[in-house]
Amino acid sequence: MALLEARSTRGGVLVAAMVALGACSSDPTAPSPSEDVRIRLHVTGGIAGVDYAIVVDGGTLSVLGESCVNGCSFATGQTIMGVSREQVDGWAVDLLAAGILELDGTDYGNECCDRFYVSLDYSDGLAESAIRGTSDLMPQDIQAVVGELSALANGVLPVLIDWDADPALLPSDPLGLDSMSVDRSLLELHVAYSGGCEVHQLDARLFGGWMESFPVQVRMAVSHEDNDDPCDAIVFRTLRFDMRPVEAAYAASYPSEPPGQRTLIIHIQLPGAARTETLRYEF
């Protein structure tokens, strides 16, 4: 399936979504953004003539497949994947910072033929907005979010850059790793866990900063929230993560190293695992 171009980085640790949404952090009645955020993306066009719609639901922390006509593999009404609270809040913050509310009703036109045409609807319980048009005519920051959202239809999440994260505070329900690989900015983890009745949220983030060595090393934590899944079937999944945020963060820190000649050693920490897994990434 053809994907829109995803952004290269989320820009470091996420800004507090409560502040971005204008809610007072001391107000106990203020809604949590991730519980109220709902983002709908409908994509058509491109060379392959794709036509699909997905919804990011902050209430259930899941991505729902609303419709799949062409260029997609999910069933209508299917829960495509779970997403973490940080991911949902991050998209909300980025859209608000990009001025999504002020752009309500904007139509960016249709360049036809091999272009992607996008309908993007945003709401958070306090405000809502809808924009339309050819994706690459939209503001660059909006394009970046659209790129990440479109990748969700294919089960791909961006790696978070969260240097201050403490893995001990992340959801850590057991997760078994069968194998892993990385190719063309796509990290695949073939995992297994116990469940089958609830939507599980999994994500991956860099933390702790670069470890100065040659090659440079870094740590990645994979989190897993099973939502107290009562079922005990063994679920096998392939987790797919977009490594371009990692590439962009590395390039910003080591600009003298040219693309294609960069090497990064990634120590991957999985919940419940006694040891870390090491991955050599060349890009």
Side-chain angles (χ1 to χ4, degrees), residues 137-215:
L137 296 180
M138 293 179 174
Q140 199 165 41
D141 290 345
I142 298 286
Q143 291 183 44
V145 179
V146 167
E148 286 190 4
L149 296 176
S150 69
L152 298 177
N154 208 34
V156 179
L157 275 170
V159 174
L160 295 172
I161 311 297
D162 191 356
W163 296 129
D164 295 327
D166 181 352
L169 302 179
L170 298 176
S172 57
D173 293 310
L175 186 70
L177 178 68
D178 179 54
S179 63
M180 61 182 177
S181 63
V182 61
D183 181 50
R184 296 183 180 181
S185 302
L186 185 66
L187 171 64
E188 291 193 347
L189 303 178
H190 301 276
V191 303
Y193 55 77
S194 176
C197 294
E198 300 290 340
V199 176
H200 292 222
Q201 284 85 35
L202 299 107
D203 67 20
R205 71 192 69 204
L206 297 192
F207 71 96
W210 307 115
M211 293 183 279
E212 300 294 342
S213 61
F214 186 78

